[in-house]
Amino acid sequence: QVQVVESGGGLVQAGGSLRLSCAASGSVFIGNTMGWYRQAPGKQRELVATVTGGGITSYADSFKGRFTISRDNAKNTIYLQMNNLKPEDTADYYCNAPRIFGGYRSSWGQGTQVTVSS
């Protein structure tokens, strides 16, 4: 069952910024770690960043310094602020809540497409 909805993607020039949003159901969101993932054309889905229920953030090395994950517990929503975008950031971006021992709390949503032009 899909319990997340991503939005905010679009077409942006290299060096630009975008802010993605992910609204989740309460059962997926409340108290749980949430994460952003992305899948570029022809590549596997990869982890971008996570934020715990308490707001502790973690980033894959490739995204440190340019991307910022945050959450609004009142809105059951997480965000991904992406700055200094590069053409290689072009991908479909997804959110989900990873389980500690593997798997996810939601089925994957449709994602939001980000295209960065050079």
Side-chain angles (χ1 to χ4, degrees):
Q1 184 180 5
V2 177
Q3 301 184 66
V4 294
V5 179
E6 303 93 345
S7 61
L11 174 63
V12 63
Q13 289 188 332
S17 299
L18 280 175
R19 188 193 195 205
L20 307 183
S21 300
C22 165
S25 69
S27 62
V28 167
F29 185 91
I30 297 173
N32 295 320
T33 294
M34 296 290 297
W36 281 102
Y37 304 78
R38 76 179 191 183
Q39 186 168 18
K43 295 187 177 181
Q44 288 188 331
R45 185 174 288 147
E46 62 177 336
L47 173 67
V48 175
T50 60
V51 57
T52 68
I56 298 172
T57 60
S58 178
Y59 300 87
D61 288 343
S62 304
F63 308 104
K64 291 179 180 177
R66 294 192 301 125
F67 291 8
T68 302
I69 189 171
S70 61
R71 68 190 288 155
D72 184 336
N73 290 334
K75 297 181 178 180
N76 288 1
T77 298
I78 63 168
Y79 304 95
L80 186 68
Q81 177 67 43
M82 305 186 295
N83 298 327
N84 190 22
L85 284 162
K86 305 174 181 180
E88 51 265 42
D89 293 318
T90 294
D92 291 324
Y93 286 72
Y94 303 85
C95 67
N96 213 322
R99 296 183 183 273
I100 294 175
F101 298 110
Y104 301 90
R105 298 181 186 276
S106 172
S107 297
W108 293 101
Q110 292 192 340
T112 187
Q113 188 175 58
V114 172
T115 303
V116 184
S117 62
S118 57

